[in-house]
Amino acid sequence: MRWSKRGTGRSYDSLNGYGAIIGFLSGKILDYGTRNRKCRLCDKGHDPNDHDCRKNFMVSAKAMEADLGAELTNNSQILKETKLNVRVLIDDEDSSTIAAVRRGSSHSILKLADNNHLRKDLVNELYELKKIHSEMSKKEVIPHLQKCFGYAVAQNKGNVNLLAASLRSIPDHVFGDHENCGDWCHRHSEPNSQSQTVLLKDQWLREKLRAVFDKYAGNASKFSSAASSQANESFNNTVAHRNLKKDCHSLSESSDYRVASAVCTKNKGDGYLERVQDILKVSPRKHSALFAAKQDRMRIKRAEMGKLRTSKLRRNILRQQRESLRKVKEKSEGTMYEPNCGLDLDIAVNMEQDDESSASFLSPDQCHFIYFDLETSGLSLSADILQIAAADQDSSFMVYINPSQAVTISASKVTGLENIQGELFHHGKKVDSIPIKKA
Ligand SMILES: [Zn+2]
Ligand SMILES: [Zn+2]
């Protein structure tokens, strides 16, 4: 089972969010919930009882996902009535959500990783290696490693040991050693073939790749079921169509109704509109019946088209394009979301155990606080960092950084820093600065 969310996961300032538990086999939504942090009428001073108030969450947006996940998994009225227990969760590697779910659950819950997220996380790690190892920059290397990973998962569905062995053989495979390769490697069936799509030489890189693939191999039990989050993605798309980001529906009950409508479409198709009209005794409804029938026909057609090989190829191309666009954006904006936090965290943890260690939060007196401050050459995303300072109770640290562009007048006024002929000056006095990488 799984839940999906939108507007909660990665942008931590969202006013509302939703989640749904989707049955692994049926693909139907079993239960769903919403969290709203703001209400327009309440903000204007209305009493919550004089309108259809949907404000139900006061804490930070970041906590919404975990809260909703735990509520749906542990307290769903529908699941209770049908005497269903969530025993297995498939989700991206968000450790705070699974921790909240486990805290509120009376039985142990197995957490499986979702393949789509895993693939993205693997690509991220490969791109990290590319920064240090020039061999990774050849354009076919990362897609080839990704493909090998995909084959290994697809061909060893349900077999943890074989999957782990397959994953461990991938680094050797790209270094020309095919001894342990499985069926996925063409050298396996044609041992005399000399062709090799990717042949790497840097032994240091080989060790790094081993470390990456070993990590996934060590966690093979979490994703050997080859569960995909496609049902989540399709539900997210339906909600996104009804709840357009450019229109702000989150301040009233409108947003909740839009999510509810998406749930009905997902489970019943657009024919649910007729049922609603029956209940509301609305007539005539010739047009909406025609509309619903047309929508349902189109959805079935789209689903059939989606299974075609050509559609799959096109999806892969589009995914690669999106991936490279995201990389470019992240370069200028920084990483917005740290992937795989749960995978790292759980590496040495026995999967069957109710893992309370990841659930515990530190109190302030157990923490070591470090305060830091950055000065930059301006407010744009491409501005230079010119000074880094940090301090804790006992020590402090400060360093100036070589400027690569002019400092804006307004930034200069605030920081006293200037770039004069490539040298950094503080209130007119030259200071020693170092390259950003060393800092
Ligand atoms: Zn209200
Ligand atoms: Zn091979």
Side-chain angles (χ1 to χ4, degrees), residues 253-264:
E253 68 277 23
S254 171
S255 174
D256 278 10
Y257 284 126
R258 284 161 198 273
V259 176
S261 140
V263 172
C264 291

Side-chain angles (χ1 to χ4, degrees), residues 224-243:
S224 63
S225 64
S228 107
S229 60
Q230 218 167 350
N232 294 34
E233 305 293 334
S234 102
F235 178 54
N236 282 342
N237 284 338
T238 316
V239 176
H241 274 109
R242 298 201 183 171
N243 215 344

Side-chain angles (χ1 to χ4, degrees), residues 39-43 46-48 51-55 251:
C39 167
R40 187 183 285 124
L41 288 174
C42 285
D43 284 357
H46 282 253
D47 186 286
H51 60 280
D52 185 4
C53 187
R54 300 291 172 131
K55 188 167 159 181
L251 299 177

Side-chain angles (χ1 to χ4, degrees), residues 299-346:
R299 195 173 35 253
I300 292 167
K301 200 173 159 190
R302 263 202 306 273
E304 278 167 4
M305 293 275 290
K307 287 178 193 155
L308 295 178
R309 194 179 145 72
T310 45
S311 312
K312 281 183 185 163
L313 283 174
R314 186 171 153 68
R315 273 206 301 276
N316 277 341
I317 293 169
L318 290 175
R319 191 174 59 220
Q320 277 165 14
Q321 284 173 352
R322 273 200 308 275
E323 202 64 45
S324 51
L325 182 69
R326 190 173 61 81
K327 293 288 156 202
V328 172
K329 290 222 158 173
E330 271 191 8
K331 253 189 189 158
S332 58
E333 295 170 7
T335 307
M336 306 298 280
Y337 174 74
E338 197 61 47
N340 242 346
C341 49
L343 205 58
D344 281 340
L345 205 72
D346 280 349

Side-chain angles (χ1 to χ4, degrees), residues 166-179:
S166 266
L167 291 174
R168 287 203 173 93
S169 70
I170 292 173
D172 291 337
H173 163 79
V174 288
F175 277 83
D177 174 359
H178 302 280
E179 204 178 314

Side-chain angles (χ1 to χ4, degrees), residues 173 178 181 184-185 187:
H173 163 79
H178 302 280
C181 289
W184 50 272
C185 172
R187 289 286 193 97

Side-chain angles (χ1 to χ4, degrees), residues 180-251:
N180 299 316
C181 289
D183 292 343
W184 50 272
C185 172
H186 75 280
R187 289 286 193 97
H188 195 77
S189 46
E190 309 161 43
N192 296 325
S193 161
Q194 289 304 310
S195 74
Q196 169 107 20
T197 320
V198 167
L199 185 58
L200 304 177
K201 299 213 155 53
D202 178 353
Q203 290 303 319
W204 187 30
L205 171 62
R206 188 173 184 164
E207 289 310 310
K208 295 271 190 71
L209 282 174
R210 273 194 184 138
V212 169
F213 282 92
D214 270 358
K215 183 175 83 175
Y216 286 90
N219 281 273
S221 60
K222 285 189 180 182
F223 58 94
S224 63
S225 64
S228 107
S229 60
Q230 218 167 350
N232 294 34
E233 305 293 334
S234 102
F235 178 54
N236 282 342
N237 284 338
T238 316
V239 176
H241 274 109
R242 298 201 183 171
N243 215 344
L244 294 178
K245 274 194 171 170
K246 68 181 179 57
D247 310 322
C248 181
H249 299 294
S250 56
L251 299 177

